[in-house]
Amino acid sequence: MNIKFLNLGMQPLANEYPSFVTKKQKKYNLNICFNTKNKVVSISKRMRSEKMFNQKYPYRSSMSKTMKDSFKKLSRDIIKRFNPNLTLEIGSNDGALITNLNKKRVIGIEPCSNLAAITKKKGFMTYDEYWNFNLAKKLKKKHGLIDLIYSANTLTHISNLDEVFKSVNYLLNKNGILIIEDPSLLECIKNNAYDQFYNEHVYVFSALALRNILKKFNMDIFDIQKLKTHGGSLRYFIKKKQNNKIKISNKVFKQFIAEKRFGLEKLSTFKKFALNVKSSKKNLLKIFEKLKEKNKSVVGYGATAKAVTILNYCKIDNKFIKFFLDTTPEKQNKLLPGTNIRIYKYSKKKLSKENFIFLGAWNFKNEIFKKEKKFIKMGGKFLTHIPKPKIL
Ligand code: TYD
């Protein structure tokens, strides 16, 4: 049974950046639920994929050095550890991973045609289609079975998990490997990172929940890597049960134990999290109000989907934040959804007269601190809500 434990209020679509100030942007009520049976945490309202992932999708994986480096390293590791003949990436975005692999041995799946066009142009085989069973059948006919399927920050965006894993299972070689990486529910709850929830993140997985989902498809997690990306992610290595040449690593059992100890199988843990979220909202607003009273300027850094959740939930708008800066061309000169805060092209100069930076991309804190040494030297300060609202 799905039980609602957190109401994040009325929210716009997180990646729908309006061009003009408007009160008309459509909003929906964002509720988060816990499934007492399979322990899956998800949002209650599901949007149609076509509404979110289309030819105008603005998110680009290659916009941060941290992500680019992480994918580069992974591509080397994949070759060294598994040496697949044919790799398929579900959600290849602008090619942050596939462009590191041999063109003849990798296929990208990317339904957002504006992004698929980027990798197609570079000569990488890319299907601008949604991941589903029909596509899996088409791919099998054309390319045969796949040795390695990879997907980062994508499967949690697809509502119908049954179809997702049925299709993976169908297309994967019997000794094939599935690697998925997504934000970790354990880190999300520990950091009070309630901004991991928005219309696109239908699920935030725990290893325990993923194990329960995979059971139905006779698949096992055999290894886990902890990643720093997206505020703490897990990279799961998954195999078919019938492949008994691969042993299950101790790291997998350790993760299950850590999650059980923390209470990720209990509704009470999520009820407590909801209380922490409410108090985080109060405290963040207090800081913003104080800074406004003192006439301090605050600008946002990283116009993320996460920032959309926080600011809409906390009712922080252009009265509190002067503007946002972002390196993504598709977001520039638009407004952060639901807030009327304008987003400008990133430049160091734009920061020179400002007092505070609100970290919309808190998950890239280290990368940003390194980049903004001058701002810090000039007395500029950072404001974050992770793990607690505070000035850094
Ligand atoms: P991400 O945290 O992956 O966002 P989301 O919550 O939408 O999944 O995206 C980071 C955003 O921050 C992206 O729009 C690019 C931007 N960004 C900058 O503008 N400058 C930077 O130095 C970094 C690291 C990110």
Side-chain angles (χ1 to χ4, degrees), residues 15 17 59-60 63-67 195 198 201 230 301-307 325-328 331 346 360-364 367-368 371-372:
N15 269 304
Y17 293 78
Y59 182 83
R60 300 266 306 263
M63 281 299 131
S64 102
K65 188 173 175 316
T66 312
M67 292 312 288
D195 51 353
Y198 49 90
H201 281 184
H230 290 289
Y301 198 117
T304 58
K306 291 187 285 291
L325 293 181
D326 201 286
T327 49
T328 316
K331 296 181 183 178
Y346 167 78
W362 55 267
N363 42 320
F364 295 114
E367 183 176 337
I368 294 170
K371 240 161 94 179
E372 304 310 337

Side-chain angles (χ1 to χ4, degrees), residues 1 6 33 67 92 132 136 149 288 310 375:
M1 188 169 61
L6 175 61
C33 307
M67 292 312 288
S92 50
N132 56 35
I149 298 182
F288 269 103
I310 312 159
F375 172 77

Side-chain angles (χ1 to χ4, degrees), residues 204-222:
V204 177
F205 289 143
S206 62
L208 290 168
L210 188 62
R211 175 181 67 176
N212 293 339
I213 297 164
L214 290 168
K215 240 181 226 160
K216 189 169 166 190
F217 301 93
N218 279 320
M219 297 178 100
D220 281 327
I221 305 170
F222 67 88

